[in-house]
Amino acid sequence: MKAGGALAVLLPLLAAASDAQLQPGLWEVINTPGAITLDGRELDDVPLSPARTQRICLPSAQAAEPARFFARELAEDCRIISAAVAGGAVAIRASCPNPEEGTDGALELNGRFDRAGYQLDFTSRSEDFQGVTTFSGKLTGRHLGPCPTG
């Protein structure tokens, strides 16, 4: 099942919480890489890309479904295992297949949010013949105002 399909099953439950929504409009989202480890040992010699900033227009219908917004960059073949977005807390778990290695990778998003901002920690784990690789970082977002017209 594609991530969108799995998430669609969970969204009615998530949307039921009145505080589980974001402010519609223009958002600034920053993806900041943290660290890469192999079997728990930090790989200092692996260069991390710089922080990436995006501006995203979030329509009202999508603002009411923050789990979908937070998990928007998952690969199409990833499967949402659980998604809890309520009371200002976010906990999303996904499994992503790795057919080359025969094992699935895992992704976790955890953090806090309110209508005008969020800060999430992410961790992805994958295993191959070298061992278990973990990549971590932060996703932060803040509402800037209405979407530009035109």
Side-chain angles (χ1 to χ4, degrees):
M1 178 184 291
K2 292 187 178 182
L7 191 53
V9 171
L10 296 171
L11 288 176
L13 299 173
L14 299 173
S18 62
D19 65 343
Q21 57 185 325
L22 298 170
Q23 181 72 30
L26 186 62
W27 281 77
E28 179 179 73
V29 177
I30 302 170
N31 181 335
T32 307
I36 298 177
T37 65
L38 178 61
D39 291 335
R41 195 178 69 252
E42 193 161 338
L43 300 177
D44 295 327
D45 59 336
V46 176
L48 295 172
S49 59
R52 180 176 51 124
T53 302
Q54 297 176 284
R55 291 204 169 179
I56 300 170
C57 185
L58 183 63
S60 294
Q62 292 177 11
E65 301 174 347
R68 182 182 300 270
F69 182 66
F70 297 144
R72 72 190 172 284
E73 292 190 28
L74 282 177
E76 291 230 353
D77 55 352
C78 292
R79 180 175 51 92
I80 300 294
I81 296 169
S82 65
V85 179
V90 176
I92 298 173
R93 310 276 180 276
S95 175
C96 301
N98 183 354
E100 294 171 8
E101 300 299 330
T103 61
D104 287 348
L107 174 72
E108 295 182 9
L109 291 168
N110 294 292
R112 304 289 305 162
F113 81 103
D114 61 29
R115 290 181 51 79
Y118 61 88
Q119 184 164 359
L120 305 176
D121 294 319
F122 68 82
T123 303
S124 67
R125 290 179 188 83
S126 61
E127 186 173 354
D128 63 16
F129 68 93
Q130 295 178 327
V132 177
T133 302
T134 303
F135 175 65
S136 63
K138 292 194 178 302
L139 296 171
T140 56
R142 67 183 179 113
H143 183 260
L144 298 176
C147 292
T149 58

